[in-house]
Amino acid sequence: MANNKQPDSREPYVVAIDGPSAAGKSTVAKLVAARLGIDYIDTGAMYRAVALAALREEEVGEAAAEIGALVSGLVIDQADGRTLLNGEDVTDKIRAAACTKRASQVSQLPEVRRELVALQRAIGAHRSVVMDGRDIASNVFPDARYKFFITATPEERARRRTLEMKEKGLPCSYDEVFADIEKRDWDDANRALNPLVQAPDAVLIVTDGLGVEEVLEKVLEYIVNP
Ligand code: DC
């Protein structure tokens, strides 16, 4: 695989993991980061934090200029697996359905992407990180030392997500979850700016029929001598 060069432990490096929603990226990315002893950065959570801020500001509509003004005044941080918005821990709040929907809208806006991509690049400039999202290998860190595209069929992702929600006691139907996944796939892939795309030099991992540990081992297999 062209992108998987021998790591030099003295140099900070980025492990970029992209893929569609509900593909299990974040679970694997967290485990990879723990095994490598480096930080995990969830860029989807950053878009969700902007969405939460927009939902909270009643006067902020959907206009790009308004959201752009809002985002430039926000302080978004990630530490120890938590997401902070202006110092407040919003890790759980940003998972609400309203936030998921609004995150999809705000992530289309150039003003928002410009701010968040700059933040993501600043984070990865001086320390080693595992970063997951939709455009990390293709846009944020095109020179990332390791690049992965983790995906699964929409049917498999819907099946897993339905099970996960039922286990959390959240009522949902497979058909609804499947429709939501298909819509999010379409939105992610057809966004004008930085759409979801597999970088040409990313390692493709299709996780249908694989457990988390098996996916983790596949990723680590490519990362020699961490
Ligand atoms: O992965 P997630 O569901 O938490 O992502 C939330 C939203 O942010 C989703 O609509 C896709 C978008 N996103 C993006 O546009 N670019 C990224 N690098 C990460 C997420």
Side-chain angles (χ1 to χ4, degrees), residues 17-22 25-26 40 42-49 94-95 99-108 113 116-117 120 131-136 139-140 161 184 187-188 191 193-196:
I17 302 183
D18 292 312
S21 67
K25 298 184 301 291
S26 63
Y40 163 60
D42 175 356
T43 64
M46 295 179 176
Y47 289 94
R48 287 170 178 271
I94 58 174
R95 299 289 146 194
C99 233
T100 302
K101 194 157 172 247
R102 195 69 190 259
S104 182
Q105 291 164 353
V106 302
S107 69
Q108 319 267 342
R113 300 205 75 84
L116 293 190
V117 168
Q120 292 152 15
M131 195 175 279
D132 79 354
R134 304 293 191 283
D135 63 336
I136 309 307
N139 172 54
V140 182
R161 184 50 56 90
R184 291 177 71 190
D187 288 346
D188 280 337
R191 180 169 58 226
L193 198 60
N194 317 141
L196 170 67

Side-chain angles (χ1 to χ4, degrees), residues 46-93:
M46 295 179 176
Y47 289 94
R48 287 170 178 271
V50 173
L52 180 65
L55 284 168
R56 282 176 170 178
E57 300 281 329
E58 278 173 15
E59 68 276 17
V60 172
E62 289 182 15
E66 287 181 45
I67 308 269
L70 172 79
V71 73
S72 59
L74 300 177
V75 179
I76 298 170
D77 280 326
Q78 296 212 339
D80 303 325
R82 313 299 294 176
T83 300
L84 306 180
L85 172 62
N86 295 334
E88 175 193 350
D89 186 338
V90 294
T91 312
D92 300 321
K93 294 188 184 97

Side-chain angles (χ1 to χ4, degrees), residues 80-186:
D80 303 325
R82 313 299 294 176
T83 300
L84 306 180
L85 172 62
N86 295 334
E88 175 193 350
D89 186 338
V90 294
T91 312
D92 300 321
K93 294 188 184 97
I94 58 174
R95 299 289 146 194
C99 233
T100 302
K101 194 157 172 247
R102 195 69 190 259
S104 182
Q105 291 164 353
V106 302
S107 69
Q108 319 267 342
L109 302 174
E111 292 79 358
V112 173
R113 300 205 75 84
R114 201 181 311 120
E115 289 282 337
L116 293 190
V117 168
L119 173 62
Q120 292 152 15
R121 287 185 178 144
I123 290 171
H126 303 294
R127 62 181 161 129
S128 296
V129 290
V130 176
M131 195 175 279
D132 79 354
R134 304 293 191 283
D135 63 336
I136 309 307
S138 56
N139 172 54
V140 182
F141 287 106
D143 296 325
R145 190 177 296 169
Y146 306 105
K147 299 179 179 182
F148 297 92
F149 192 85
I150 295 185
T151 188
T153 57
E155 290 78 8
E156 171 78 3
R157 287 183 281 135
R159 199 185 57 73
R160 285 188 206 149
R161 184 50 56 90
T162 310
L163 203 69
E164 208 178 279
M165 290 180 73
K166 287 202 168 137
E167 278 169 5
K168 284 186 190 159
L170 300 167
C172 69
S173 79
Y174 171 89
D175 289 346
E176 273 169 21
V177 173
F178 184 81
D180 181 57
I181 281 178
E182 284 216 306
K183 178 173 183 329
R184 291 177 71 190
D185 282 0
W186 197 94

